[in-house]
Amino acid sequence: MDQAELVIGPESGIPVAELLALYESVGWSAYTSSPELLEAAVAGASFVVTARRGGRLVGLARALSDGATICYLQDVLVHPAEHRRGIGRALVGAVLDRYRTVRQKVLLTDDEPGQRAFYESLGYAEIRDYGSGTLRCFIRFDGGAEA
């Protein structure tokens, strides 16, 4: 277990090889199958925050936002060897702090019990928990993309 200092902060220009290694470590093949698309997605984000231990990329979160009314939290990932150390919480916290004045903070994630518990611990709630008829969520995948 690496005991080097953990550094969390905004970052741009992340080398695609580092991105691929991190995304592959969590099995996100929809991203790793197209390195150019992954690089463009991260470069096009409104805000990217990373976690590095000893210079090695071990976590990343990115957001898309207009900076005024909505922030979409996209891609929160932590290398499996670094799980349960508060890194995901710190990454999400950095995004939420950056967009603290934005009212709507939205995310879409896998249907996994651990995901629900993690995001609920950060103040998120599933849309169905807001009550009948108050909110709806729609999604569309184009270009052969799958959920």
Side-chain angles (χ1 to χ4, degrees):
M1 201 179 298
D2 192 350
Q3 297 302 318
E5 179 185 6
L6 181 70
V7 177
I8 294 179
E11 189 171 345
S12 61
I14 304 164
V16 71
E18 287 187 291
L19 292 172
L20 286 169
L22 181 60
Y23 280 73
E24 285 171 354
S25 77
V26 297
W28 288 9
S29 60
Y31 287 96
T32 60
S33 64
S34 177
E36 301 81 18
L37 188 62
L38 173 59
E39 186 175 31
V42 173
S46 305
F47 182 65
V48 177
V49 62
T50 62
R52 289 186 176 273
R53 187 178 303 282
R56 182 173 159 257
L57 183 65
V58 297
L60 178 144
R62 65 186 181 103
L64 302 166
S65 179
D66 60 14
T69 63
I70 192 160
C71 172
Y72 184 87
L73 180 59
Q74 175 68 25
D75 294 2
V76 177
L77 59 158
V78 175
H79 192 284
E82 297 281 351
H83 283 186
R84 310 291 304 164
R85 294 184 181 183
I87 296 172
R89 178 174 296 279
L91 291 168
V92 173
V95 171
L96 295 177
D97 185 56
R98 168 74 178 253
Y99 296 104
R100 66 187 159 278
T101 61
V102 173
R103 181 174 167 260
Q104 287 185 63
K105 295 167 183 88
V106 179
L107 71 97
L108 180 68
T109 190
D110 300 329
D111 183 20
E112 178 185 312
Q115 295 283 354
R116 180 179 177 136
F118 173 69
Y119 289 111
E120 284 179 342
S121 77
L122 295 168
Y124 282 87
E126 284 196 62
I127 201 160
R128 67 180 175 213
D129 296 337
Y130 276 96
S132 176
T134 58
L135 293 171
R136 282 203 175 121
C137 180
F138 297 90
I139 188 166
R140 175 178 158 168
F141 289 98
D142 289 336
E146 297 179 17

